[in-house]
Structure formats: C-alpha cells, structure tokens
Amino acid sequence: MKKQPLLILLLWFVLGILFQEHLIMRQVVVFSLLIISAVSLFSILIKNKFFQSIKYYCLEFFFFSIGMFVHFQNSQQPKLPTLKEKETIVFQLDKKLNSNEKNRKYYVEVLDVSDLKQKENLPFKTVISIPKDIEALDFQHYYKAGIYIHQPKETKNDFQFDYKKYLARQDVYFQAYLPNDILKTEKQSISFENKIKQKRLDILNKINHSSLSPKIQEFLKGIILADRTEMDAETVKDFNQTGLVHLLAISGSHMVIIFWITLLILNQILPVKFRKVSIVLSILLIWIFAIFIDYGSSVMRSCLMITCYYMMVLLQRKSDLLHSLALSAFILLIFDSQQLFDVGFQLSYVAVLGIWWLTNPIKNLFRKPRFKAEKFFYEISAMTFAAQIATLPLAIYYFHQFSFVSIIANLLIIPLSEIIIVSSLLIVVLIAFGFNNIPFLYKGFDVFVEYVLKVIHWFSSFESLMTRNIPLDVLELSLLLLVIYFLKFLIKDIFNPKNLLRFGFCFLAFFAVRISFNIFNYNKEEMFVHNFYKEKIVSIKNKDHAIFWMKESKNEDKIRDFVINPYLTWRRIKDFKINYIPGDSEVFVYQGNKFELK
C-alpha cells in the first residue's frame, strides 16, 4: 500500500465496479455502503493503535464502495420511448461506424418521432443502417426519414457476443434500418463539437479524392484519423491474423510518437529555459489532435497516460509509470465505468503493465549492445515481447485465436511503425492543407505502404501457424496472468528453486484446471437450438464430436462466425460436421430420432 497506493486503490475501485456489474445491488444497498465506508474514514483521525492498524483497510473499502456507486450511476437505463415497428424520425449524425458490403452504419441522435406523444423521452440514440446508394450523412444537416426500428434482442446463450449489452454500454438502445431516401435540412447553427467532427469528415473526403490508391487511402484514414469504417475486409483480416491490428487503431504508440515529434520540434525552436513550455504545448497539441479525431477511447487513454506522466515531470516529482497508469484509469472510469468492459481498455492497460513488469528482465537476456542501433533493436524487441506475453491470455480469452507468426511480424513491423506513423501524419497534413501537387511524395508513400501491406499479407498467409477456437475460462485466464507475474522472477534468476517452484506450481495448476474443464465438457451430451435472426440451427453433441443441422443460407459465413465457432469453443469441440436439410423441410432424423427445426 505504501509503495503503490494509487494502483492498489484503483484495484479496489475496479473490484467495486465488478461487484456491482455481476450482483446488481439495489440503490439503498449501494448508498448504505458508501455512507458506512465514508464514516469509517474518520478512523484515520483517531490516534488509537487499533484504528491506525485498520486505516488502510477502511480506505480500500471506501474506494470499493465508490466503484460500486459510480457503476450504479453509469448503469441506469434511461426511460425509452415506446415505438412502432415503422416510424418517421428527425435525426442528426453522431458517429460513423464500420460499413459492410451493402450498408453504411452510424450512431445517430433521434430528435423527434412524428407519432410519438410523450416527447420527454427524447432525444435518444440508435444505430442505423443506410444503403450505400443513399448519400452519406454529415454533421451539417438534420435528416428526416421513415425507418424500421426495434430494440436489439437479448442473447440467450452465454457463449455468444451480447450485442444488446454492447450497445447499452454506448448508451444506444435501438437498431434501425432506413430503406428509402432521406430529406435533409441544413442546420442554422452548428455546435463547436460538430464543427470539429465535420472538419475531420471533410479531410476524410479529401483523402478519398487524393492520388493515393484506394487501399492506401483507407489505411491512411485508419492509422491517423481513426476511421476504419470503409477499410476492405482482406486488409483487416491480415492485420488481425498477424497480431498487428493495434497499428490500425490510434493507440499509445501513435500518441507517444506524435508527442515526441512535437516535443522535439519545440525543443529546437524554444530556448533551453522554456523546456517546460515545450512539454505543456506538446501535451496541449496531442489533446487538440485527440479532440479532432473524435476522442476515441484508445486516444483518450493514451493522452491521459502521457499527461499524467509528464505532469509529474513538470511538478518535479519522481515520474512513475504505475502512478500515471492508475491516475489515468481512475479519471476514465469515474466518468464512464462501462469502459472497464471494453476489450481495448483492458488490453491497453495490461500491455503497459506488461511492459513495466517484463521489459527489463527480457532485455537483460540479450548481450550488452555495442552500437546505438543494436541497443534500440533490443529495447524495441524487449518491449514487444513484454507486451505480447502480457496481453496473450486476454487476447485468447476474447478472440479465441493465436498466430505464432504474430511474434515475428511484430518484431519486424514495430520498428518501422515510427516511420509509418510519421510519414502518414505528414501526408494527412499535406492533404488537409491542399498540397496535392507533390506527385513524387505521394507516389513514394503509396509504394512504401503498399510494400508494408504486402509483407503483412504474406505473414497472414501462414494459415498453418494460426490456431483458432482456443477455449479459455476466467479461472484459466487468472492462472495464466499469475504465471506471467512469476515469469519475471524466473527470468531474473532461473536457478533459484523458489522462483522455479512458484512458476511451476501456477503452470501445473493451470493445466490441472484446463484438463478438468476438458473432461467435464467431453462427457457432456446435449442437443442445442441456436438462433440467428430468423434462422435456427440445431446441434447435437456427443463426446468431442458435434453435428449441426441447418438450412442452406446466404448468411452461412456469419452463422459460422457468430454461432458455430463460439459453440465449438465454449464446449471445447474440435471435430464437427454440418448437415444441410432441404429448404422446405422442418424435420430431420438422427440415429432413429426425429427432430424438428422450427
């Protein structure tokens, strides 16, 4: 507690959020615990041996109750309007989302519903799909259109992605589809926030009309302006399979590079005595950049961590990565505790913890560097290994896949990331200010990024090195994280029996739990009915084999991704078969038994 008070209090705060999330305590209980914990803090003022001995526990209990209270407040669902299946609405754009082959998707804010009598439940947000042949939305207009709207259906199975809960964490409670044309009216006045969003949209459109090839345009929009909404599926798949998807998201590495570039330039311009001014201006500029690119979650996390770290430098306090990490997490979670359940949030903070915990021990395994380039390579390699090792259990837990090629791909591409990010930022700035008459520069950037994408695609082609449908339970995840914790001590002194024993015990405990789960699922026999929109799929499991019965469908790829593969992972099945039944049939026979597919 004395060494890392902020980190320990953050952990208790997070435990309070998790407690409220899973047990959903009522308002009276939450407020009672908060009052009791606040009163218990007075023990710090009592100079009694007993009260002094429990003061840290009281403080931890207080932060635990604050976590519960904050999450209780952030989990309250607003009163929603009662809507018919088809409504005429007036709305404005809130945020662009990823498109598919047929439709563009957006978060929109509904300002009015024509037939709605109770207007007090307005406005509200919905996700809306709009055919691509209809003009794209912008922030300069209000829109009016007839839509089909409904609340997302609840997911009945634990192993499937809960899209309804995901939307609710974004304060979105409806899904809509717009089939026809839209009427639009120009806004008389545009808020400052929407002006910034529109400016970003204008730059995205300028990139679309630049001389860069379409694939490079989408890459550029993703890596600098955090817009992957139109990126082709093949490129996204390549980055996912090589473990390089973090390059496509504006993450900590992007913001640190932009911060350092700004700081370097300002240090060259301003005198030495104004070094603190350089830091303040650099922090200010990354926040302006964060606001400009729509202050996404990963951007806010990065900016907060950098700000907290350098504020300690400015205040002439000992800079501590863990203090910065804990303080930034506190700020984010107090304003929005739902971010704790965002996969990106968890991976970001675990990656930073991994870098802090494992980088030096891994770096000490290398020989002493003789040249600056060698030292740089060792540091980048150690940080890459540390981040990958730390985030691997979480990545498998959420995505159930791992590619051995990702280790090599990261080691090759990460050192190039600075060049990629800096050159991409330069091109975006040139396009934004209308400098389109530099063909050799644009062509050189096009060729360079095309080569990088080809290398990444080549890495992703090693399908034999990709393992999918890897099952991992929460208990297994916890034991793996414990293994990583003790890995540091093992690397530092591998011949120490105590270190070897602790690491080995955790590793054996993990395999014992895993084998137990495997045996339990192996002996389970069941028939399961899966729902995917209006389609039904029936599965029958026998030991480590499963058979799926379904009608032929144009959505088969989606059914595999969202139904079959999650079920195989959940039940730890490797051997399966899909049987198709005729489109006009509702019955199939298996081992002499008749089953209905209704």
Side-chain angles (χ1 to χ4, degrees):
M1 183 71 179
K2 292 180 180 179
K3 290 184 178 180
Q4 292 294 340
L6 277 178
L7 183 63
I8 292 171
L9 293 177
L10 172 66
L11 293 176
W12 280 99
F13 182 77
V14 167
L15 283 173
I17 295 174
L18 294 173
F19 191 84
Q20 177 62 25
E21 171 72 15
H22 294 291
L23 295 183
I24 314 176
M25 307 301 288
R26 291 182 299 173
Q27 182 176 348
V28 63
V29 177
V30 173
F31 278 83
S32 298
L33 286 174
L34 184 62
I35 293 169
I36 292 169
S37 64
V39 171
S40 71
L41 286 180
F42 285 103
S43 64
I44 298 172
L45 304 175
I46 302 173
K47 294 182 179 180
N48 178 281
K49 187 177 181 180
F50 171 74
F51 287 108
Q52 288 299 308
S53 65
I54 65 168
K55 63 182 180 181
Y56 294 126
Y57 300 107
C58 293
L59 192 60
E60 289 164 356
F61 177 49
F62 178 64
F63 274 83
F64 175 81
S65 61
I66 289 178
M68 286 184 60
F69 172 75
V70 167
H71 195 55
F72 173 79
Q73 296 295 328
N74 288 332
S75 301
Q76 298 302 301
Q77 180 175 311
K79 288 185 178 180
L80 302 175
T82 303
L83 303 176
K84 295 181 291 186
E85 183 182 358
K86 189 174 182 180
E87 294 280 7
T88 300
I89 65 169
V90 176
F91 63 94
Q92 64 179 352
L93 176 61
D94 182 68
K95 185 178 181 180
K96 282 179 68 180
L97 300 175
N98 290 343
S99 304
N100 55 33
E101 293 179 0
K102 294 182 179 179
N103 303 313
R104 295 188 185 94
K105 284 189 176 183
Y106 304 92
Y107 284 148
V108 299
E109 186 178 21
V110 178
L111 305 172
D112 190 26
V113 181
S114 297
D115 298 330
L116 189 66
K117 295 180 180 179
Q118 297 180 337
K119 303 291 185 179
E120 63 269 17
N121 294 331
L122 297 172
F124 63 89
K125 289 206 301 187
T126 179
V127 58
I128 190 167
S129 299
I130 301 177
K132 284 189 171 180
D133 57 358
I134 295 177
E135 184 182 0
L137 305 186
D138 60 42
F139 295 95
Q140 296 176 316
H141 294 86
Y142 293 116
Y143 297 92
K144 184 176 183 179
I147 62 167
Y148 294 96
I149 190 166
H150 65 277
Q151 290 193 38
K153 293 182 179 179
E154 291 187 5
T155 303
K156 297 180 180 178
N157 306 316
D158 292 339
F159 58 87
Q160 286 183 280
F161 176 65
D162 194 338
Y163 189 55
K164 182 177 182 179
K165 182 177 283 188
Y166 170 79
L167 289 178
R169 295 196 193 281
Q170 322 295 320
D171 293 324
V172 178
Y173 299 94
F174 290 95
Q175 284 179 281
Y177 176 69
L178 192 154
N180 302 315
D181 290 337
I182 309 175
L183 297 175
K184 66 178 183 179
T185 304
E186 191 169 348
K187 293 179 180 179
Q188 296 298 317
S189 63
I190 304 174
S191 67
F192 179 70
E193 180 184 2
N194 281 339
K195 284 180 180 178
I196 294 173
K197 289 181 177 181
Q198 183 59 42
K199 187 64 180 176
R200 173 174 172 265
L201 201 61
D202 292 341
I203 294 175
L204 292 172
N205 289 329
K206 284 184 179 180
I207 293 173
N208 288 336
H209 293 93
S210 68
S211 59
L212 299 171
S213 61
K215 183 176 281 191
I216 309 305
Q217 289 174 5
E218 297 308 323
F219 174 82
L220 188 62
K221 289 190 289 183
I223 198 170
I224 296 300
L225 296 175
D227 184 280
R228 291 190 289 160
T229 56
E230 304 293 336
M231 189 169 287
D232 63 287
E234 185 184 33
T235 302
V236 175
K237 181 183 175 183
D238 290 344
F239 277 86
N240 282 328
Q241 294 198 167
T242 53
L244 291 166
V245 72
H246 55 87
L247 275 179
L248 290 180
I250 301 291
S251 58
S253 59
H254 294 68
M255 301 309 297
V256 167
I257 290 169
I258 293 170
F259 176 82
W260 281 348
I261 291 170
T262 309
L263 188 61
L264 180 64
I265 294 171
L266 289 173
N267 282 340
Q268 301 301 315
I269 297 172
L270 299 176
V272 176
K273 63 180 180 179
F274 292 115
R275 285 292 182 258
K276 288 186 178 180
V277 176
S278 299
I279 293 174
V280 172
L281 289 175
S282 299
I283 291 172
L284 184 62
L285 283 170
I286 63 168
W287 277 105
I288 291 172
F289 179 72
I291 293 169
F292 181 73
I293 61 174
D294 204 14
Y295 45 88
S297 299
S298 60
V299 179
M300 295 297 289
R301 288 193 294 270
S302 307
C303 287
L304 270 174
M305 278 194 244
I306 294 169
T307 303
C308 292
Y309 185 85
Y310 278 95
M311 282 301 292
M312 293 179 187
V313 174
L314 291 171
L315 295 172
Q316 296 183 336
R317 299 288 183 89
K318 183 182 177 182
S319 54
D320 189 298
L321 182 62
L322 288 187
H323 285 344
S324 305
L325 180 142
L327 187 58
S328 65
F330 262 128
I331 294 169
L332 286 171
L333 293 176
I334 284 173
F335 282 100
D336 183 11
S337 59
Q338 299 289 358
Q339 284 206 40
L340 179 63
F341 307 97
D342 179 68
V343 179
F345 179 94
Q346 296 175 25
L347 288 172
S348 294
Y349 280 94
V350 169
V352 175
L353 281 171
I355 290 169
W356 171 79
W357 188 247
L358 291 174
T359 296
N360 284 333
I362 293 173
K363 193 163 59 175
N364 291 335
L365 294 176
F366 301 134
R367 72 177 189 182
K368 190 174 181 179
R370 299 174 184 175
F371 312 102
K372 286 186 177 180
E374 188 180 6
K375 182 182 178 182
F376 173 77
F377 176 76
Y378 288 163
E379 287 178 351
I380 289 292
S381 299
M383 289 176 65
T384 302
F385 276 124
Q388 283 195 302
I389 291 169
T391 56
L392 180 60
L394 267 179
I396 293 175
Y397 177 75
Y398 283 111
F399 306 114
H400 304 291
Q401 65 180 28
F402 173 70
S403 175
F404 289 96
V405 80
S406 66
I407 300 170
I408 304 168
N410 272 276
L411 283 175
L412 180 65
I413 301 299
I414 291 299
L416 286 174
S417 62
E418 290 189 34
I419 300 172
I420 296 169
I421 293 169
V422 171
S423 58
S424 299
L425 181 61
L426 174 63
I427 295 296
V428 168
V429 170
L430 291 174
I431 291 174
F433 286 97
F435 294 100
N436 298 315
N437 300 319
I438 319 175
F440 71 92
L441 187 61
Y442 288 94
K443 184 63 178 177
F445 177 78
D446 207 305
V447 171
F448 169 63
V449 176
E450 184 68 34
Y451 174 75
V452 172
L453 293 179
K454 283 180 179 178
V455 171
I456 293 171
H457 179 70
W458 179 76
F459 276 121
S460 72
S461 64
F462 291 94
E463 287 286 339
S464 58
L465 297 176
M466 170 66 78
T467 305
R468 292 185 172 86
N469 297 337
I470 306 172
L472 197 69
D473 191 82
V474 174
L475 183 55
E476 293 170 298
L477 170 66
S478 303
L479 287 169
L480 278 180
L481 292 174
L482 202 58
V483 166
I484 292 169
Y485 173 80
F486 288 119
L487 179 62
K488 175 182 179 178
F489 306 107
L490 186 68
I491 294 172
K492 289 177 74 173
D493 189 359
I494 194 170
F495 297 108
N496 187 324
K498 187 178 178 181
N499 295 339
L500 191 60
L501 186 64
R502 289 186 299 187
F503 179 82
F505 177 79
C506 291
F507 217 79
L508 288 173
F510 165 75
F511 279 107
V513 169
R514 190 166 186 80
I515 291 167
S516 300
F517 282 137
N518 289 344
I519 292 172
F520 173 79
N521 283 284
Y522 177 84
N523 292 320
K524 197 173 186 67
E525 297 183 7
E526 65 182 4
M527 186 192 80
F528 213 94
V529 179
H530 311 264
N531 295 290
F532 186 77
Y533 294 103
K534 295 182 180 180
E535 301 180 55
K536 287 193 175 182
I537 304 96
V538 174
S539 65
I540 296 179
K541 178 188 176 299
N542 184 13
K543 302 296 182 184
D544 62 343
H545 180 73
I547 302 178
F548 295 88
W549 275 269
M550 58 181 283
K551 296 180 180 180
E552 290 191 7
S553 170
K554 61 182 180 181
N555 294 320
E556 184 175 337
D557 289 340
K558 291 183 179 180
I559 290 172
R560 282 178 177 267
D561 290 338
F562 298 109
V563 176
I564 294 177
N565 287 337
Y567 177 75
L568 295 174
T569 305
W570 183 52
R571 285 299 183 209
R572 304 179 182 233
I573 301 167
K574 294 183 179 178
D575 184 26
F576 74 99
K577 181 182 178 183
I578 299 176
N579 288 337
Y580 299 96
I581 64 173
D584 57 348
S585 176
E586 299 290 345
V587 177
F588 66 90
V589 177
Y590 176 68
Q591 293 184 347
N593 297 315
K594 184 181 290 187
F595 299 92
E596 293 186 358
L597 191 66
K598 291 184 179 180

